[in-house]
PDB file of all heavy atoms in Angstrom:
ATOM      1  N   VAL A  54      -3.632  27.472 -22.498  1.00  0.00           N
ATOM      2  CA  VAL A  54      -3.180  26.411 -21.588  1.00  0.00           C
ATOM      3  C   VAL A  54      -4.028  25.166 -21.841  1.00  0.00           C
ATOM      4  O   VAL A  54      -5.256  25.212 -21.786  1.00  0.00           O
ATOM      5  CB  VAL A  54      -3.318  26.848 -20.121  1.00  0.00           C
ATOM      6  CG1 VAL A  54      -2.961  25.699 -19.170  1.00  0.00           C
ATOM      7  CG2 VAL A  54      -2.447  28.072 -19.834  1.00  0.00           C
ATOM      8  N   ARG A  55      -3.375  24.055 -22.117  1.00  0.00           N
ATOM      9  CA  ARG A  55      -4.098  22.788 -22.223  1.00  0.00           C
ATOM     10  C   ARG A  55      -4.433  22.275 -20.824  1.00  0.00           C
ATOM     11  O   ARG A  55      -3.655  22.463 -19.885  1.00  0.00           O
ATOM     12  CB  ARG A  55      -3.266  21.745 -22.950  1.00  0.00           C
ATOM     13  CG  ARG A  55      -2.991  22.063 -24.417  1.00  0.00           C
ATOM     14  CD  ARG A  55      -2.279  20.869 -25.065  1.00  0.00           C
ATOM     15  NE  ARG A  55      -1.994  21.110 -26.460  1.00  0.00           N
ATOM     16  CZ  ARG A  55      -0.882  21.665 -26.923  1.00  0.00           C
ATOM     17  NH1 ARG A  55       0.065  22.033 -26.073  1.00  0.00           N
ATOM     18  NH2 ARG A  55      -0.701  21.841 -28.212  1.00  0.00           N
ATOM     19  N   VAL A  56      -5.554  21.622 -20.690  1.00  0.00           N
ATOM     20  CA  VAL A  56      -5.969  21.053 -19.410  1.00  0.00           C
ATOM     21  C   VAL A  56      -6.239  19.570 -19.605  1.00  0.00           C
ATOM     22  O   VAL A  56      -6.974  19.171 -20.518  1.00  0.00           O
ATOM     23  CB  VAL A  56      -7.237  21.756 -18.878  1.00  0.00           C
ATOM     24  CG1 VAL A  56      -7.769  21.045 -17.632  1.00  0.00           C
ATOM     25  CG2 VAL A  56      -6.942  23.222 -18.552  1.00  0.00           C
ATOM     26  N   ARG A  57      -5.635  18.765 -18.748  1.00  0.00           N
ATOM     27  CA  ARG A  57      -5.864  17.319 -18.756  1.00  0.00           C
ATOM     28  C   ARG A  57      -6.350  16.915 -17.363  1.00  0.00           C
ATOM     29  O   ARG A  57      -5.618  17.055 -16.383  1.00  0.00           O
ATOM     30  CB  ARG A  57      -4.580  16.551 -19.093  1.00  0.00           C
ATOM     31  CG  ARG A  57      -4.077  16.745 -20.509  1.00  0.00           C
ATOM     32  CD  ARG A  57      -4.968  16.057 -21.541  1.00  0.00           C
ATOM     33  NE  ARG A  57      -5.120  14.632 -21.270  1.00  0.00           N
ATOM     34  CZ  ARG A  57      -4.264  13.698 -21.698  1.00  0.00           C
ATOM     35  NH1 ARG A  57      -3.182  14.039 -22.397  1.00  0.00           N
ATOM     36  NH2 ARG A  57      -4.478  12.428 -21.437  1.00  0.00           N
ATOM     37  N   LEU A  58      -7.585  16.444 -17.291  1.00  0.00           N
ATOM     38  CA  LEU A  58      -8.173  16.045 -16.017  1.00  0.00           C
ATOM     39  C   LEU A  58      -8.300  14.529 -15.949  1.00  0.00           C
ATOM     40  O   LEU A  58      -8.709  13.890 -16.918  1.00  0.00           O
ATOM     41  CB  LEU A  58      -9.548  16.687 -15.838  1.00  0.00           C
ATOM     42  CG  LEU A  58      -9.572  18.223 -15.840  1.00  0.00           C
ATOM     43  CD1 LEU A  58     -10.993  18.715 -15.636  1.00  0.00           C
ATOM     44  CD2 LEU A  58      -8.648  18.788 -14.776  1.00  0.00           C
ATOM     45  N   VAL A  59      -7.951  13.986 -14.798  1.00  0.00           N
ATOM     46  CA  VAL A  59      -8.014  12.551 -14.548  1.00  0.00           C
ATOM     47  C   VAL A  59      -9.165  12.299 -13.583  1.00  0.00           C
ATOM     48  O   VAL A  59      -9.153  12.787 -12.446  1.00  0.00           O
ATOM     49  CB  VAL A  59      -6.688  12.027 -13.959  1.00  0.00           C
ATOM     50  CG1 VAL A  59      -6.770  10.527 -13.695  1.00  0.00           C
ATOM     51  CG2 VAL A  59      -5.522  12.369 -14.886  1.00  0.00           C
ATOM     52  N   ASP A  60     -10.158  11.574 -14.029  1.00  0.00           N
ATOM     53  CA  ASP A  60     -11.353  11.359 -13.215  1.00  0.00           C
ATOM     54  C   ASP A  60     -11.016  10.591 -11.941  1.00  0.00           C
ATOM     55  O   ASP A  60     -10.330   9.569 -11.967  1.00  0.00           O
ATOM     56  CB  ASP A  60     -12.402  10.589 -14.016  1.00  0.00           C
ATOM     57  CG  ASP A  60     -13.722  10.489 -13.274  1.00  0.00           C
ATOM     58  OD1 ASP A  60     -14.246  11.538 -12.883  1.00  0.00           O
ATOM     59  OD2 ASP A  60     -14.207   9.358 -13.078  1.00  0.00           O
ATOM     60  N   PHE A  61     -11.517  11.127 -10.823  1.00  0.00           N
ATOM     61  CA  PHE A  61     -11.316  10.502  -9.525  1.00  0.00           C
ATOM     62  C   PHE A  61     -12.695  10.210  -8.945  1.00  0.00           C
ATOM     63  O   PHE A  61     -13.359  11.098  -8.394  1.00  0.00           O
ATOM     64  CB  PHE A  61     -10.521  11.439  -8.600  1.00  0.00           C
ATOM     65  CG  PHE A  61     -10.125  10.831  -7.290  1.00  0.00           C
ATOM     66  CD1 PHE A  61      -8.942  10.127  -7.171  1.00  0.00           C
ATOM     67  CD2 PHE A  61     -10.930  10.960  -6.172  1.00  0.00           C
ATOM     68  CE1 PHE A  61      -8.564   9.564  -5.956  1.00  0.00           C
ATOM     69  CE2 PHE A  61     -10.568  10.400  -4.958  1.00  0.00           C
ATOM     70  CZ  PHE A  61      -9.378   9.695  -4.857  1.00  0.00           C
ATOM     71  N   ALA A  62     -13.133   8.980  -9.114  1.00  0.00           N
ATOM     72  CA  ALA A  62     -14.493   8.614  -8.716  1.00  0.00           C
ATOM     73  C   ALA A  62     -14.650   8.639  -7.201  1.00  0.00           C
ATOM     74  O   ALA A  62     -13.740   8.267  -6.454  1.00  0.00           O
ATOM     75  CB  ALA A  62     -14.833   7.228  -9.251  1.00  0.00           C
ATOM     76  N   ASP A  63     -15.806   9.073  -6.756  1.00  0.00           N
ATOM     77  CA  ASP A  63     -16.122   9.114  -5.335  1.00  0.00           C
ATOM     78  C   ASP A  63     -16.472   7.710  -4.851  1.00  0.00           C
ATOM     79  O   ASP A  63     -17.340   7.042  -5.427  1.00  0.00           O
ATOM     80  CB  ASP A  63     -17.301  10.063  -5.103  1.00  0.00           C
ATOM     81  CG  ASP A  63     -17.607  10.244  -3.621  1.00  0.00           C
ATOM     82  OD1 ASP A  63     -16.853   9.717  -2.788  1.00  0.00           O
ATOM     83  OD2 ASP A  63     -18.614  10.907  -3.318  1.00  0.00           O
ATOM     84  N   ARG A  64     -15.808   7.256  -3.793  1.00  0.00           N
ATOM     85  CA  ARG A  64     -16.099   5.935  -3.226  1.00  0.00           C
ATOM     86  C   ARG A  64     -16.785   6.039  -1.868  1.00  0.00           C
ATOM     87  O   ARG A  64     -16.745   5.107  -1.064  1.00  0.00           O
ATOM     88  CB  ARG A  64     -14.813   5.130  -3.100  1.00  0.00           C
ATOM     89  CG  ARG A  64     -14.246   4.700  -4.449  1.00  0.00           C
ATOM     90  CD  ARG A  64     -13.079   3.742  -4.275  1.00  0.00           C
ATOM     91  NE  ARG A  64     -12.583   3.266  -5.546  1.00  0.00           N
ATOM     92  CZ  ARG A  64     -11.507   2.498  -5.684  1.00  0.00           C
ATOM     93  NH1 ARG A  64     -10.809   2.142  -4.593  1.00  0.00           N
ATOM     94  NH2 ARG A  64     -11.116   2.090  -6.869  1.00  0.00           N
ATOM     95  N   GLY A  65     -17.387   7.200  -1.613  1.00  0.00           N
ATOM     96  CA  GLY A  65     -18.085   7.350  -0.342  1.00  0.00           C
ATOM     97  C   GLY A  65     -17.108   7.399   0.812  1.00  0.00           C
ATOM     98  O   GLY A  65     -16.082   8.069   0.753  1.00  0.00           O
ATOM     99  N   GLU A  66     -17.424   6.695   1.877  1.00  0.00           N
ATOM    100  CA  GLU A  66     -16.555   6.671   3.062  1.00  0.00           C
ATOM    101  C   GLU A  66     -15.251   5.963   2.712  1.00  0.00           C
ATOM    102  O   GLU A  66     -15.224   4.768   2.439  1.00  0.00           O
ATOM    103  CB  GLU A  66     -17.248   5.962   4.214  1.00  0.00           C
ATOM    104  CG  GLU A  66     -18.370   6.772   4.849  1.00  0.00           C
ATOM    105  CD  GLU A  66     -17.864   8.017   5.553  1.00  0.00           C
ATOM    106  OE1 GLU A  66     -16.775   7.950   6.167  1.00  0.00           O
ATOM    107  OE2 GLU A  66     -18.540   9.060   5.473  1.00  0.00           O
ATOM    108  N   GLU A  67     -14.173   6.719   2.718  1.00  0.00           N
ATOM    109  CA  GLU A  67     -12.851   6.199   2.364  1.00  0.00           C
ATOM    110  C   GLU A  67     -11.833   6.907   3.241  1.00  0.00           C
ATOM    111  O   GLU A  67     -11.927   8.119   3.455  1.00  0.00           O
ATOM    112  CB  GLU A  67     -12.571   6.471   0.881  1.00  0.00           C
ATOM    113  CG  GLU A  67     -11.253   5.927   0.379  1.00  0.00           C
ATOM    114  CD  GLU A  67     -11.030   6.218  -1.110  1.00  0.00           C
ATOM    115  OE1 GLU A  67     -11.678   7.144  -1.641  1.00  0.00           O
ATOM    116  OE2 GLU A  67     -10.204   5.531  -1.723  1.00  0.00           O
ATOM    117  N   SER A  68     -10.869   6.153   3.756  1.00  0.00           N
ATOM    118  CA  SER A  68      -9.875   6.769   4.631  1.00  0.00           C
ATOM    119  C   SER A  68      -9.025   7.764   3.845  1.00  0.00           C
ATOM    120  O   SER A  68      -8.883   7.666   2.614  1.00  0.00           O
ATOM    121  CB  SER A  68      -8.973   5.703   5.250  1.00  0.00           C
ATOM    122  OG  SER A  68      -8.115   5.143   4.267  1.00  0.00           O
ATOM    123  N   VAL A  69      -8.447   8.722   4.556  1.00  0.00           N
ATOM    124  CA  VAL A  69      -7.570   9.692   3.926  1.00  0.00           C
ATOM    125  C   VAL A  69      -6.396   8.989   3.259  1.00  0.00           C
ATOM    126  O   VAL A  69      -6.012   9.305   2.127  1.00  0.00           O
ATOM    127  CB  VAL A  69      -7.066  10.718   4.962  1.00  0.00           C
ATOM    128  CG1 VAL A  69      -5.985  11.606   4.361  1.00  0.00           C
ATOM    129  CG2 VAL A  69      -8.223  11.559   5.475  1.00  0.00           C
ATOM    130  N   THR A  70      -5.821   8.005   3.956  1.00  0.00           N
ATOM    131  CA  THR A  70      -4.683   7.279   3.391  1.00  0.00           C
ATOM    132  C   THR A  70      -5.072   6.606   2.081  1.00  0.00           C
ATOM    133  O   THR A  70      -4.358   6.721   1.077  1.00  0.00           O
ATOM    134  CB  THR A  70      -4.175   6.225   4.391  1.00  0.00           C
ATOM    135  OG1 THR A  70      -3.710   6.887   5.565  1.00  0.00           O
ATOM    136  CG2 THR A  70      -3.046   5.412   3.785  1.00  0.00           C
ATOM    137  N   SER A  71      -6.206   5.917   2.066  1.00  0.00           N
ATOM    138  CA  SER A  71      -6.649   5.247   0.852  1.00  0.00           C
ATOM    139  C   SER A  71      -6.896   6.247  -0.270  1.00  0.00           C
ATOM    140  O   SER A  71      -6.536   6.013  -1.434  1.00  0.00           O
ATOM    141  CB  SER A  71      -7.924   4.445   1.132  1.00  0.00           C
ATOM    142  OG  SER A  71      -8.463   3.924  -0.066  1.00  0.00           O
ATOM    143  N   ARG A  72      -7.502   7.393   0.067  1.00  0.00           N
ATOM    144  CA  ARG A  72      -7.810   8.400  -0.953  1.00  0.00           C
ATOM    145  C   ARG A  72      -6.547   8.953  -1.579  1.00  0.00           C
ATOM    146  O   ARG A  72      -6.464   9.161  -2.790  1.00  0.00           O
ATOM    147  CB  ARG A  72      -8.624   9.521  -0.300  1.00  0.00           C
ATOM    148  CG  ARG A  72      -9.303  10.453  -1.283  1.00  0.00           C
ATOM    149  CD  ARG A  72     -10.098  11.515  -0.549  1.00  0.00           C
ATOM    150  NE  ARG A  72     -10.941  10.935   0.478  1.00  0.00           N
ATOM    151  CZ  ARG A  72     -11.072  11.412   1.706  1.00  0.00           C
ATOM    152  NH1 ARG A  72     -10.404  12.492   2.062  1.00  0.00           N
ATOM    153  NH2 ARG A  72     -11.873  10.846   2.569  1.00  0.00           N
ATOM    154  N   ILE A  73      -5.522   9.185  -0.754  1.00  0.00           N
ATOM    155  CA  ILE A  73      -4.288   9.758  -1.282  1.00  0.00           C
ATOM    156  C   ILE A  73      -3.514   8.727  -2.094  1.00  0.00           C
ATOM    157  O   ILE A  73      -2.986   9.035  -3.178  1.00  0.00           O
ATOM    158  CB  ILE A  73      -3.448  10.351  -0.140  1.00  0.00           C
ATOM    159  CG1 ILE A  73      -4.143  11.623   0.376  1.00  0.00           C
ATOM    160  CG2 ILE A  73      -2.021  10.644  -0.594  1.00  0.00           C
ATOM    161  CD1 ILE A  73      -3.458  12.307   1.511  1.00  0.00           C
ATOM    162  N   VAL A  74      -3.453   7.501  -1.617  1.00  0.00           N
ATOM    163  CA  VAL A  74      -2.777   6.449  -2.389  1.00  0.00           C
ATOM    164  C   VAL A  74      -3.470   6.245  -3.727  1.00  0.00           C
ATOM    165  O   VAL A  74      -2.821   6.117  -4.777  1.00  0.00           O
ATOM    166  CB  VAL A  74      -2.723   5.142  -1.578  1.00  0.00           C
ATOM    167  CG1 VAL A  74      -2.268   3.984  -2.457  1.00  0.00           C
ATOM    168  CG2 VAL A  74      -1.787   5.294  -0.378  1.00  0.00           C
ATOM    169  N   ARG A  75      -4.787   6.259  -3.721  1.00  0.00           N
ATOM    170  CA  ARG A  75      -5.528   6.092  -4.975  1.00  0.00           C
ATOM    171  C   ARG A  75      -5.316   7.298  -5.890  1.00  0.00           C
ATOM    172  O   ARG A  75      -5.221   7.148  -7.123  1.00  0.00           O
ATOM    173  CB  ARG A  75      -7.012   5.894  -4.666  1.00  0.00           C
ATOM    174  CG  ARG A  75      -7.859   5.537  -5.873  1.00  0.00           C
ATOM    175  CD  ARG A  75      -9.167   4.891  -5.460  1.00  0.00           C
ATOM    176  NE  ARG A  75     -10.033   5.776  -4.688  1.00  0.00           N
ATOM    177  CZ  ARG A  75     -10.981   6.551  -5.225  1.00  0.00           C
ATOM    178  NH1 ARG A  75     -11.160   6.559  -6.533  1.00  0.00           N
ATOM    179  NH2 ARG A  75     -11.742   7.296  -4.455  1.00  0.00           N
ATOM    180  N   SER A  76      -5.215   8.483  -5.314  1.00  0.00           N
ATOM    181  CA  SER A  76      -4.933   9.675  -6.108  1.00  0.00           C
ATOM    182  C   SER A  76      -3.600   9.546  -6.832  1.00  0.00           C
ATOM    183  O   SER A  76      -3.486   9.841  -8.033  1.00  0.00           O
ATOM    184  CB  SER A  76      -4.900  10.910  -5.201  1.00  0.00           C
ATOM    185  OG  SER A  76      -6.133  11.141  -4.590  1.00  0.00           O
ATOM    186  N   ILE A  77      -2.572   9.109  -6.100  1.00  0.00           N
ATOM    187  CA  ILE A  77      -1.245   8.944  -6.696  1.00  0.00           C
ATOM    188  C   ILE A  77      -1.287   7.905  -7.809  1.00  0.00           C
ATOM    189  O   ILE A  77      -0.755   8.123  -8.911  1.00  0.00           O
ATOM    190  CB  ILE A  77      -0.227   8.547  -5.609  1.00  0.00           C
ATOM    191  CG1 ILE A  77      -0.024   9.714  -4.629  1.00  0.00           C
ATOM    192  CG2 ILE A  77       1.107   8.132  -6.226  1.00  0.00           C
ATOM    193  CD1 ILE A  77       0.721   9.332  -3.362  1.00  0.00           C
ATOM    194  N   ASP A  78      -1.928   6.789  -7.553  1.00  0.00           N
ATOM    195  CA  ASP A  78      -1.977   5.712  -8.548  1.00  0.00           C
ATOM    196  C   ASP A  78      -2.695   6.142  -9.821  1.00  0.00           C
ATOM    197  O   ASP A  78      -2.235   5.867 -10.938  1.00  0.00           O
ATOM    198  CB  ASP A  78      -2.664   4.477  -7.957  1.00  0.00           C
ATOM    199  CG  ASP A  78      -1.827   3.790  -6.891  1.00  0.00           C
ATOM    200  OD1 ASP A  78      -0.601   4.061  -6.833  1.00  0.00           O
ATOM    201  OD2 ASP A  78      -2.387   2.986  -6.115  1.00  0.00           O
ATOM    202  N   LEU A  79      -3.826   6.818  -9.679  1.00  0.00           N
ATOM    203  CA  LEU A  79      -4.586   7.242 -10.860  1.00  0.00           C
ATOM    204  C   LEU A  79      -3.810   8.257 -11.693  1.00  0.00           C
ATOM    205  O   LEU A  79      -3.788   8.167 -12.931  1.00  0.00           O
ATOM    206  CB  LEU A  79      -5.926   7.831 -10.422  1.00  0.00           C
ATOM    207  CG  LEU A  79      -6.998   6.835  -9.985  1.00  0.00           C
ATOM    208  CD1 LEU A  79      -8.193   7.572  -9.375  1.00  0.00           C
ATOM    209  CD2 LEU A  79      -7.471   5.994 -11.173  1.00  0.00           C
ATOM    210  N   LEU A  80      -3.184   9.212 -11.036  1.00  0.00           N
ATOM    211  CA  LEU A  80      -2.427  10.212 -11.776  1.00  0.00           C
ATOM    212  C   LEU A  80      -1.209   9.591 -12.444  1.00  0.00           C
ATOM    213  O   LEU A  80      -0.874   9.922 -13.594  1.00  0.00           O
ATOM    214  CB  LEU A  80      -2.011  11.339 -10.829  1.00  0.00           C
ATOM    215  CG  LEU A  80      -1.424  12.601 -11.469  1.00  0.00           C
ATOM    216  CD1 LEU A  80      -2.355  13.177 -12.525  1.00  0.00           C
ATOM    217  CD2 LEU A  80      -1.134  13.648 -10.390  1.00  0.00           C
ATOM    218  N   ARG A  81      -0.553   8.663 -11.761  1.00  0.00           N
ATOM    219  CA  ARG A  81       0.609   7.977 -12.347  1.00  0.00           C
ATOM    220  C   ARG A  81       0.222   7.201 -13.604  1.00  0.00           C
ATOM    221  O   ARG A  81       0.928   7.238 -14.620  1.00  0.00           O
ATOM    222  CB  ARG A  81       1.226   7.034 -11.313  1.00  0.00           C
ATOM    223  CG  ARG A  81       2.445   6.270 -11.844  1.00  0.00           C
ATOM    224  CD  ARG A  81       2.949   5.267 -10.840  1.00  0.00           C
ATOM    225  NE  ARG A  81       3.496   5.914  -9.650  1.00  0.00           N
ATOM    226  CZ  ARG A  81       3.142   5.642  -8.403  1.00  0.00           C
ATOM    227  NH1 ARG A  81       2.193   4.734  -8.172  1.00  0.00           N
ATOM    228  NH2 ARG A  81       3.704   6.264  -7.392  1.00  0.00           N
ATOM    229  N   GLU A  82      -0.912   6.511 -13.547  1.00  0.00           N
ATOM    230  CA  GLU A  82      -1.357   5.718 -14.699  1.00  0.00           C
ATOM    231  C   GLU A  82      -1.685   6.584 -15.910  1.00  0.00           C
ATOM    232  O   GLU A  82      -1.466   6.185 -17.061  1.00  0.00           O
ATOM    233  CB  GLU A  82      -2.590   4.896 -14.309  1.00  0.00           C
ATOM    234  CG  GLU A  82      -2.302   3.769 -13.336  1.00  0.00           C
ATOM    235  CD  GLU A  82      -3.573   3.159 -12.779  1.00  0.00           C
ATOM    236  OE1 GLU A  82      -4.676   3.525 -13.259  1.00  0.00           O
ATOM    237  OE2 GLU A  82      -3.471   2.327 -11.849  1.00  0.00           O
ATOM    238  N   ALA A  83      -2.203   7.775 -15.670  1.00  0.00           N
ATOM    239  CA  ALA A  83      -2.664   8.619 -16.771  1.00  0.00           C
ATOM    240  C   ALA A  83      -1.570   9.518 -17.346  1.00  0.00           C
ATOM    241  O   ALA A  83      -1.603   9.837 -18.548  1.00  0.00           O
ATOM    242  CB  ALA A  83      -3.826   9.483 -16.296  1.00  0.00           C
ATOM    243  N   PHE A  84      -0.616   9.928 -16.527  1.00  0.00           N
ATOM    244  CA  PHE A  84       0.348  10.935 -16.950  1.00  0.00           C
ATOM    245  C   PHE A  84       1.310  10.384 -17.999  1.00  0.00           C
ATOM    246  O   PHE A  84       1.713   9.219 -17.950  1.00  0.00           O
ATOM    247  CB  PHE A  84       1.127  11.457 -15.738  1.00  0.00           C
ATOM    248  CG  PHE A  84       2.070  12.566 -16.060  1.00  0.00           C
ATOM    249  CD1 PHE A  84       1.610  13.758 -16.586  1.00  0.00           C
ATOM    250  CD2 PHE A  84       3.438  12.417 -15.840  1.00  0.00           C
ATOM    251  CE1 PHE A  84       2.476  14.792 -16.896  1.00  0.00           C
ATOM    252  CE2 PHE A  84       4.312  13.445 -16.133  1.00  0.00           C
ATOM    253  CZ  PHE A  84       3.840  14.633 -16.664  1.00  0.00           C
ATOM    254  N   THR A  85       1.710  11.241 -18.932  1.00  0.00           N
ATOM    255  CA  THR A  85       2.610  10.863 -20.030  1.00  0.00           C
ATOM    256  C   THR A  85       3.876  11.716 -19.969  1.00  0.00           C
ATOM    257  O   THR A  85       3.993  12.725 -20.678  1.00  0.00           O
ATOM    258  CB  THR A  85       1.906  11.069 -21.381  1.00  0.00           C
ATOM    259  OG1 THR A  85       1.416  12.431 -21.461  1.00  0.00           O
ATOM    260  CG2 THR A  85       0.729  10.120 -21.528  1.00  0.00           C
ATOM    261  N   PRO A  86       4.849  11.356 -19.121  1.00  0.00           N
ATOM    262  CA  PRO A  86       6.023  12.216 -18.923  1.00  0.00           C
ATOM    263  C   PRO A  86       6.847  12.424 -20.185  1.00  0.00           C
ATOM    264  O   PRO A  86       7.481  13.475 -20.346  1.00  0.00           O
ATOM    265  CB  PRO A  86       6.823  11.461 -17.854  1.00  0.00           C
ATOM    266  CG  PRO A  86       6.342  10.058 -17.909  1.00  0.00           C
ATOM    267  CD  PRO A  86       4.904  10.136 -18.300  1.00  0.00           C
ATOM    268  N   GLN A  87       6.846  11.456 -21.088  1.00  0.00           N
ATOM    269  CA  GLN A  87       7.653  11.571 -22.298  1.00  0.00           C
ATOM    270  C   GLN A  87       7.196  12.694 -23.219  1.00  0.00           C
ATOM    271  O   GLN A  87       7.929  13.101 -24.132  1.00  0.00           O
ATOM    272  CB  GLN A  87       7.646  10.239 -23.060  1.00  0.00           C
ATOM    273  CG  GLN A  87       6.308   9.833 -23.652  1.00  0.00           C
ATOM    274  CD  GLN A  87       5.380   9.153 -22.662  1.00  0.00           C
ATOM    275  OE1 GLN A  87       5.706   9.045 -21.470  1.00  0.00           O
ATOM    276  NE2 GLN A  87       4.248   8.667 -23.150  1.00  0.00           N
ATOM    277  N   ALA A  88       6.020  13.233 -22.980  1.00  0.00           N
ATOM    278  CA  ALA A  88       5.481  14.291 -23.840  1.00  0.00           C
ATOM    279  C   ALA A  88       5.992  15.672 -23.463  1.00  0.00           C
ATOM    280  O   ALA A  88       5.666  16.653 -24.152  1.00  0.00           O
ATOM    281  CB  ALA A  88       3.954  14.282 -23.790  1.00  0.00           C
TER     282      ALA A  88
END
Side-chain angles (χ1 to χ4, degrees):
V54 175
R55 294 186 180 90
V56 173
R57 293 289 304 274
L58 300 181
V59 180
D60 187 54
F61 187 88
D63 185 5
R64 290 188 177 175
E66 287 294 323
E67 182 180 20
S68 70
V69 171
T70 297
S71 173
R72 194 179 311 135
I73 289 179
V74 169
R75 187 160 64 92
S76 297
I77 293 167
D78 290 343
L79 284 171
L80 191 54
R81 180 185 293 127
E82 290 169 7
F84 184 61
T85 54
Q87 67 277 4

